[in-house]
C-alpha cells in the first residue's frame, strides 16, 4: 500500500494525523511537516483523503476516480432525518408488485456504506427474487417452527421450557397460529408475501460480523424507506438459521459464512400517513 503527501500542496493542518485510526501519519508539533510514519498500519479506511482540504494525500487504494467531494448543503437536515427515522415502519401490507431492481441496488449501496470493524468490509449480501427461493425460505422456517411447537407442547419437556424461558408460552401460541394460517389458508406470516429478500452475512470467523451486519441493515432499511419500499426484519428465519447446525439454508443459497440479518422487501399497498411516538426516552446523563 503506497501513501504519499505532496509537500507543495500540504498546508500542515494535521487533519490526516488526527483522523487516522491506525497512527499512519506523524506530526511532531502543530504546523510542522506531516510524515507518513507507519504505512504498514494502514487499514485503507480513506479518512486521510476524505479529511484533507488541500488534496495533498495520495493513496494507492484510492485513485482519483474513487475520491469524491461532498456538497453538505445537499444533505438532509437533522429535522428531515429524524422524521425519516420516525416514519420508518415494518409495513406488512404488501402488494404483489415486484420491487424494482434499481431500488434493490440502491438499498444494497446504502448498506455497503455502513462502517465495519477495522474497515475489514467483510459483509456480503445475497438477494433472492425467485419465487421458488422465497418459498424455500418460508418452508424452511416453518419446518423449524413445527419442531419448536412439538417441543413446547411435550408434556414434561414443554412444561420445563415454558417455566424456564420467559415468554415461551406466548411464542408457542404465535407459532401455532403461524402454522395454522399457512396450512389451512396458505397465508405466509414468515415473509408476508415479500417479493425480494436480502440476507446479510459475513465469514464464519468474522469477530464483529453480527455488529457489522446490523449496521448495514440499518442503512439499507432507511434507504428502503426513502424509496417507498416496505422492509421487514426476518426474525423467525434468523432464529431458524441459528438453531440449524447443518446450515441447510446457508448451503442451499451457497453462503459459506454466517447469516446475521435478513430484510424482506415488498411494495406496500399503502403508506402510513402518520407515526406514533415511542415510549419516553430512557437515558442517564453523567
Amino acid at each position: 500500500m503506497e501513501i504519499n503527501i505532496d509537500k507543495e500542496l500540504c498546508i500542515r493542518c494535521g487533519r490526516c494525523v488526527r483522523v487516522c485510526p491506525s497512527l499512519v501519519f506523524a506530526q511532531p508539533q502543530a504546523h510542522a511537516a506531516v510524515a507518513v510514519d507507519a504505512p504498514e498500519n494502514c487499514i485503507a479506511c480513506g479518512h486521510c483523503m476524505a479529511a484533507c482540504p488541500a488534496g495533498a494525500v495520495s493513496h494507492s487504494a484510492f485513485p482519483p476516480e474513487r475520491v469524491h467531494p461532498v456538497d453538505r448543503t445537499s444533505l438532509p437536515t437533522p429535522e428531515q432525518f429524524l422524521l425519516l427515522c420516525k416514519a420508518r415502519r415494518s409495513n406488512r401490507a404488501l402488494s404483489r408488485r415486484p420491487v424494482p431492481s434499481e431500488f434493490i441496488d440502491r438499498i444494497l449501496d446504502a448498506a455497503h456504506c455502513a462502517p465495519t470493524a477495522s474497515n475489514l468490509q467483510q459483509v456480503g449480501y445475497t438477494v433472492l427474487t425467485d419465487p421458488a427461493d422465497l418459498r424455500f425460505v418460508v418452508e424452511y422456517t416453518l419446518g423449524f417452527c413445527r419442531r419448536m411447537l412439538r417441543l413446547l407442547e411435550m408434556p414434561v419437556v414443554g412444561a420445563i421450557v415454558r417455566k424456564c424461558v420467559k415468554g415461551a408460552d406466548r411464542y408457542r401460541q404465535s407459532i401455532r397460529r403461524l402454522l395454522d394460517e399457512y396450512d389451512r389458508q396458505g397465508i405466509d406470516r414468515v415473509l408476508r408475501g415479500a417479493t425480494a429478500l436480502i440476507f446479510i452475512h459475513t465469514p464464519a470467523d468474522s469477530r464483529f460480523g453480527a455488529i457489522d451486519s446490523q449496521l448495514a441493515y440499518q442503512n439499507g432499511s432507511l434507504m428502503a424507506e426513502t424509496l417507498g419500499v416496505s422492509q421487514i426484519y426476518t426474525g423467525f428465519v434468523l432464529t431458524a438459521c441459528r438453531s440449524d447446525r447443518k446450515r441447510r439454508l446457508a448451503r442451499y443459497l451457497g453462503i459459506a459464512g454466517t447469516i446475521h440479518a435478513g430484510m424482506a422487501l415488498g411494495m406496500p399497498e399503502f403508506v402510513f400517513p402518520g407515526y406514533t411516538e415511542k415510549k419516553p426516552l430512557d437515558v442517564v446523563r453523567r
Side-chain angles (χ1 to χ4, degrees):
M1 204 151 347
E2 185 176 347
I3 309 168
N4 294 294
I5 297 177
D6 189 320
K7 302 299 182 182
E8 298 296 323
L9 294 177
C10 181
I11 60 174
R12 303 186 179 189
C13 64
R15 290 186 182 184
C16 57
V17 181
R18 296 175 66 185
V19 301
C20 179
S22 302
L23 305 178
V24 170
F25 303 93
Q27 187 179 37
Q29 59 189 32
H31 307 300
V34 177
V36 180
D37 188 53
E40 68 278 5
N41 293 347
C42 182
I43 60 173
C45 66
H47 285 357
C48 54
M49 299 199 68
C52 182
V57 183
S58 61
H59 196 301
S60 59
F62 300 98
E65 63 271 17
R66 293 192 62 197
V67 183
H68 308 279
V70 175
D71 178 6
R72 294 197 169 270
T73 63
S74 298
L75 298 179
T77 65
E79 292 76 17
Q80 289 170 331
F81 179 73
L82 185 57
L83 180 59
L84 174 65
C85 293
K86 291 180 177 180
R88 195 216 69 79
R89 313 291 296 187
S90 297
N91 186 347
R92 293 169 172 81
L94 303 182
S95 70
R96 295 183 179 274
R97 291 179 292 133
V99 180
S101 58
E102 59 269 26
F103 284 10
I104 296 176
D105 289 342
R106 285 194 173 191
I107 292 168
L108 292 170
D109 195 21
H112 185 56
C113 289
T116 59
S118 300
N119 194 44
L120 290 176
Q121 300 183 49
Q122 295 179 317
V123 181
Y125 304 87
T126 296
V127 181
L128 308 183
T129 56
D130 187 325
D133 289 336
L134 297 173
R135 192 180 312 112
F136 180 91
V137 173
V138 171
E139 294 179 354
Y140 167 83
T141 306
L142 291 174
F144 162 77
C145 290
R146 295 184 201 282
R147 293 190 295 275
M148 284 300 299
L149 186 61
R150 285 197 296 268
L151 175 65
L152 290 171
E153 293 190 336
M154 290 176 66
V156 178
V157 177
I160 295 174
V161 172
R162 293 194 300 273
K163 182 177 180 179
C164 298
V165 179
K166 184 178 180 180
D169 198 56
R170 178 170 59 87
Y171 282 116
R172 178 181 62 160
Q173 297 173 20
S174 298
I175 292 172
R176 184 189 294 119
R177 183 168 60 250
L178 180 149
L179 292 170
D180 285 346
E181 289 186 349
Y182 186 81
D183 293 338
R184 296 179 182 180
Q185 305 174 58
I187 297 175
D188 167 23
R189 297 294 187 190
V190 176
L191 298 183
R192 305 281 178 163
T195 58
L197 175 59
I198 299 175
F199 281 121
I200 307 175
H201 44 84
T202 64
D205 61 354
S206 178
R207 183 178 177 187
F208 299 102
I211 297 172
D212 290 346
S213 297
Q214 301 308 325
L215 291 172
Y217 183 99
Q218 184 65 11
N219 267 25
S221 177
L222 291 174
M223 173 56 81
E225 190 69 30
T226 70
L227 295 167
V229 177
S230 292
Q231 71 278 187
I232 304 166
Y233 192 83
T234 56
F236 275 120
V237 181
L238 296 175
T239 301
C241 288
R242 286 192 291 266
S243 302
D244 184 5
R245 295 182 180 180
K246 295 183 179 180
R247 303 179 63 257
R248 280 168 289 189
L249 179 59
R251 287 192 290 108
Y252 172 83
L253 298 175
I255 297 173
T258 303
I259 299 173
H260 295 290
M263 184 188 302
L265 301 172
M267 301 306 297
E269 292 183 350
F270 54 83
V271 296
F272 288 76
Y275 70 86
T276 56
E277 294 186 3
K278 298 284 188 178
K279 295 178 181 179
L281 181 64
D282 183 7
V283 59
V284 176
R285 303 183 191 277
R286 302 185 59 147

